[in-house]
Short mmCIF file of all heavy atoms in Angstrom, two decimals:
data_model
loop_
_atom_site.label_atom_id
_atom_site.label_comp_id
_atom_site.label_asym_id
_atom_site.label_seq_id
_atom_site.Cartn_x
_atom_site.Cartn_y
_atom_site.Cartn_z
N VAL W 324 28.04 29.39 45.89
CA VAL W 324 26.75 28.93 45.38
C VAL W 324 26.93 27.49 44.91
O VAL W 324 27.83 27.21 44.11
CB VAL W 324 26.26 29.81 44.22
CG1 VAL W 324 24.91 29.33 43.70
CG2 VAL W 324 26.18 31.28 44.65
N PRO W 325 26.13 26.53 45.39
CA PRO W 325 26.33 25.13 45.03
C PRO W 325 26.29 24.90 43.51
O PRO W 325 25.56 25.57 42.78
CB PRO W 325 25.15 24.43 45.72
CG PRO W 325 24.81 25.31 46.87
CD PRO W 325 25.05 26.70 46.39
N VAL W 326 27.08 23.94 43.08
CA VAL W 326 27.16 23.62 41.66
C VAL W 326 25.81 23.15 41.15
O VAL W 326 25.16 22.28 41.75
CB VAL W 326 28.23 22.52 41.42
CG1 VAL W 326 28.17 22.04 39.97
CG2 VAL W 326 29.61 23.04 41.74
N GLY W 327 25.37 23.74 40.04
CA GLY W 327 24.13 23.32 39.41
C GLY W 327 22.88 23.96 39.94
O GLY W 327 21.79 23.68 39.44
N ILE W 328 23.00 24.82 40.95
CA ILE W 328 21.79 25.42 41.53
C ILE W 328 21.17 26.38 40.53
O ILE W 328 21.85 27.02 39.73
CB ILE W 328 22.11 26.14 42.85
CG1 ILE W 328 20.83 26.41 43.64
CG2 ILE W 328 22.86 27.46 42.59
CD1 ILE W 328 21.07 26.90 45.05
N SER W 329 19.85 26.45 40.53
CA SER W 329 19.14 27.38 39.66
C SER W 329 17.95 27.94 40.42
O SER W 329 17.41 27.30 41.33
CB SER W 329 18.67 26.70 38.37
OG SER W 329 17.76 25.66 38.67
N THR W 330 17.55 29.15 40.05
CA THR W 330 16.40 29.80 40.66
C THR W 330 15.48 30.26 39.54
O THR W 330 15.91 31.00 38.66
CB THR W 330 16.85 31.01 41.52
OG1 THR W 330 17.79 30.55 42.49
CG2 THR W 330 15.68 31.65 42.22
N PRO W 331 14.21 29.83 39.51
CA PRO W 331 13.34 30.10 38.37
C PRO W 331 13.24 31.58 38.00
O PRO W 331 13.25 31.92 36.82
CB PRO W 331 11.98 29.55 38.83
CG PRO W 331 12.33 28.47 39.80
CD PRO W 331 13.55 28.97 40.52
N ASP W 332 13.13 32.48 39.00
CA ASP W 332 12.96 33.89 38.66
C ASP W 332 14.29 34.63 38.52
O ASP W 332 14.32 35.83 38.33
CB ASP W 332 12.08 34.59 39.71
CG ASP W 332 12.70 34.57 41.10
OD1 ASP W 332 13.66 33.79 41.32
OD2 ASP W 332 12.22 35.32 41.97
N GLN W 333 15.41 33.91 38.64
CA GLN W 333 16.72 34.49 38.42
C GLN W 333 17.53 33.52 37.56
O GLN W 333 18.43 32.84 38.04
CB GLN W 333 17.44 34.75 39.75
CG GLN W 333 16.73 35.76 40.63
CD GLN W 333 17.52 36.02 41.91
OE1 GLN W 333 18.65 36.49 41.88
NE2 GLN W 333 16.90 35.71 43.03
N PRO W 334 17.23 33.47 36.26
CA PRO W 334 17.82 32.44 35.40
C PRO W 334 19.33 32.56 35.25
O PRO W 334 19.97 31.59 34.85
CB PRO W 334 17.11 32.67 34.06
CG PRO W 334 16.63 34.09 34.11
CD PRO W 334 16.28 34.35 35.53
N ASN W 335 19.89 33.72 35.58
CA ASN W 335 21.33 33.88 35.41
C ASN W 335 22.11 33.73 36.71
O ASN W 335 23.31 34.02 36.74
CB ASN W 335 21.64 35.25 34.78
CG ASN W 335 21.15 35.33 33.36
OD1 ASN W 335 21.29 34.39 32.60
ND2 ASN W 335 20.53 36.44 33.01
N LEU W 336 21.44 33.30 37.78
CA LEU W 336 22.16 33.02 39.02
C LEU W 336 23.19 31.93 38.76
O LEU W 336 22.90 30.92 38.13
CB LEU W 336 21.18 32.55 40.09
CG LEU W 336 21.78 32.31 41.48
CD1 LEU W 336 22.23 33.62 42.09
CD2 LEU W 336 20.75 31.63 42.37
N SER W 337 24.41 32.14 39.25
CA SER W 337 25.52 31.29 38.82
C SER W 337 26.11 30.48 39.96
O SER W 337 26.17 30.93 41.10
CB SER W 337 26.62 32.15 38.21
OG SER W 337 26.13 32.89 37.11
N SER W 338 26.58 29.30 39.62
CA SER W 338 27.25 28.43 40.58
C SER W 338 28.71 28.84 40.75
O SER W 338 29.34 29.36 39.83
CB SER W 338 27.20 26.98 40.09
OG SER W 338 25.88 26.55 39.92
N THR W 339 29.24 28.58 41.94
CA THR W 339 30.68 28.76 42.15
C THR W 339 31.41 27.61 41.48
O THR W 339 31.19 26.45 41.82
CB THR W 339 31.01 28.79 43.64
OG1 THR W 339 30.29 29.86 44.27
CG2 THR W 339 32.50 29.00 43.86
N ILE W 340 32.28 27.93 40.52
CA ILE W 340 33.00 26.87 39.81
C ILE W 340 34.43 26.70 40.31
O ILE W 340 35.00 25.63 40.15
CB ILE W 340 32.97 27.08 38.29
CG1 ILE W 340 33.55 28.44 37.90
CG2 ILE W 340 31.53 26.94 37.76
CD1 ILE W 340 33.65 28.64 36.38
N TRP W 341 35.02 27.76 40.90
CA TRP W 341 36.32 27.59 41.53
C TRP W 341 36.60 28.73 42.51
O TRP W 341 35.93 29.76 42.50
CB TRP W 341 37.47 27.44 40.53
CG TRP W 341 37.58 28.37 39.35
CD1 TRP W 341 37.26 28.08 38.06
CD2 TRP W 341 38.13 29.71 39.32
NE1 TRP W 341 37.54 29.15 37.23
CE2 TRP W 341 38.08 30.15 37.98
CE3 TRP W 341 38.65 30.56 40.29
CZ2 TRP W 341 38.52 31.43 37.58
CZ3 TRP W 341 39.09 31.83 39.90
CH2 TRP W 341 39.04 32.25 38.57
N HIS W 342 37.59 28.47 43.38
CA HIS W 342 38.06 29.47 44.33
C HIS W 342 39.57 29.64 44.14
O HIS W 342 40.27 28.69 43.78
CB HIS W 342 37.85 29.03 45.79
CG HIS W 342 36.55 28.37 46.09
ND1 HIS W 342 36.31 27.02 45.85
CD2 HIS W 342 35.41 28.85 46.64
CE1 HIS W 342 35.09 26.71 46.24
NE2 HIS W 342 34.51 27.81 46.72
N THR W 343 40.07 30.85 44.42
CA THR W 343 41.50 31.06 44.55
C THR W 343 41.79 31.71 45.89
O THR W 343 40.96 32.45 46.43
CB THR W 343 42.08 31.96 43.44
OG1 THR W 343 41.44 33.25 43.46
CG2 THR W 343 41.93 31.30 42.07
N VAL W 344 42.95 31.41 46.44
CA VAL W 344 43.45 32.05 47.66
C VAL W 344 44.90 32.44 47.40
O VAL W 344 45.72 31.57 47.10
CB VAL W 344 43.34 31.11 48.87
CG1 VAL W 344 44.00 31.75 50.09
CG2 VAL W 344 41.88 30.78 49.18
#
Side-chain angles (χ1 to χ4, degrees):
V324 180
V326 172
I328 196 170
S329 62
T330 304
D332 62 346
Q333 297 182 62
N335 293 318
L336 184 67
S337 301
S338 301
T339 301
I340 57 175
W341 46 257
H342 318 82
T343 59
V344 174

